[in-house]
Amino acid sequence: HRQTAPRMMPGSARRNLDPELSEPMQSIDPTIALEGVHVVPDVPVRPVTRRNAADRVFRTTVTSAGALTLVLMALIGLFLLVKSWDALRVSGLSFLTTAQWEPNGGVFGIAAVLLGTVLISFVALGFAVPVAIIGSIFITDYAPARMRTPLIWLVDLLAAVPSLIYGLWGRSFLQPKVIPLSDWISNHLGFIPIFQADRAVGFAASTFIAGIVVALMVLPICTAVMREVFSQAPAGEKEGALALGG
């Protein structure tokens, strides 16, 4: 004889047979259930990082190098301030507003140099920032995988070149090449105030050429920093921006 497994009866039939099951279940009051229970508040826990000897040596070396750099910069600024204090005390605030430079006559200031520095900086940023943005986006999102790594190495290598090398290269090689371009811009776009030039002075030491050289100096650094920022952007945010038409 085969044994037949007992059938499970429907819930309604079991409630009819067992009167205790027909009674509704009573709800439990949470205040009564938690009575006498001590609730521990959430306390943030800081992870404990255990560094080995090599990590500690590296961390100490890097921190010391950074602190030493700041100390050297502070000492250089203090040295310049001490050595120029007599002149600054005589000239006062006119040191920033006087364009003449006649130390023997007691009249000197950096207004002309300060204005030229600001103009050169604007020209350099106008050239460097758009090119750096386009280059960093291309390296991060559009360059093929085989080309991406060599481009990153090239940008980082150019960013490590001293600024003096760029200045000497711009004076010896780039300046003769750009003077005809400056002359053409002055002839055809001279009606725009920013392109007006005094031909008696010449274009050899113009703000335009100096701005291009400074743009070449800062372009690798700007590209390297922007590429690093773009590479750290989450893919979801990028896809969302593309979906919105960005």
Side-chain angles (χ1 to χ4, degrees), residues 35-51:
E35 185 177 358
V37 178
H38 179 66
V39 180
V40 180
D42 294 335
V43 178
V45 179
R46 297 184 60 181
V48 178
T49 303
R50 297 180 179 177
R51 299 183 178 91

Side-chain angles (χ1 to χ4, degrees), residues 13-208:
R14 284 188 294 167
R15 285 195 295 268
N16 293 332
L17 295 177
D18 193 350
E20 296 181 357
L21 296 177
S22 61
E23 296 180 359
M25 296 182 61
Q26 296 180 356
S27 60
I28 301 176
D29 189 357
T31 59
I32 300 176
L34 296 178
E35 185 177 358
V37 178
H38 179 66
V39 180
V40 180
D42 294 335
V43 178
V45 179
R46 297 184 60 181
V48 178
T49 303
R50 297 180 179 177
R51 299 183 178 91
N52 53 23
D55 292 337
R56 290 194 296 269
V57 171
F58 178 78
R59 185 182 182 89
T60 303
T61 304
V62 173
T63 304
S64 302
L68 181 61
T69 302
L70 296 177
V71 170
L72 290 177
M73 293 179 62
L75 292 177
I76 292 173
L78 181 62
F79 173 80
L80 295 176
L81 180 62
V82 170
K83 292 297 182 180
S84 62
W85 179 251
D86 294 337
L88 294 177
R89 185 176 54 185
V90 173
S91 61
L93 294 178
S94 61
F95 180 75
L96 301 176
T97 58
T98 304
Q100 299 178 357
W101 187 263
E102 298 178 0
N104 295 329
V107 179
F108 52 90
I110 61 170
V113 180
L114 189 63
L115 178 61
T117 302
V118 173
L119 293 177
I120 291 173
S121 301
F122 275 110
V123 173
L125 292 177
F127 281 108
V129 171
V131 177
I133 293 176
I134 295 174
S136 57
I137 291 177
F138 173 77
I139 295 174
T140 304
D141 297 328
Y142 296 99
R146 296 180 179 178
M147 189 186 300
R148 186 175 303 154
T149 301
L151 287 176
I152 294 174
W153 291 347
L154 178 62
V155 171
D156 294 340
L157 180 62
L158 292 176
V161 175
S163 301
L164 180 62
I165 304 300
Y166 287 104
L168 295 176
W169 177 80
R171 181 179 180 180
S172 60
F173 176 80
L174 187 63
Q175 179 175 325
K177 307 293 182 181
V178 180
I179 287 178
L181 177 61
S182 302
D183 192 8
W184 184 89
I185 292 175
S186 178
N187 289 332
H188 295 82
L189 301 176
F191 59 92
I192 302 176
I194 61 175
F195 295 130
Q196 292 179 359
D198 187 3
R199 294 185 172 276
V201 178
F203 298 100
S206 64
T207 305
F208 179 73

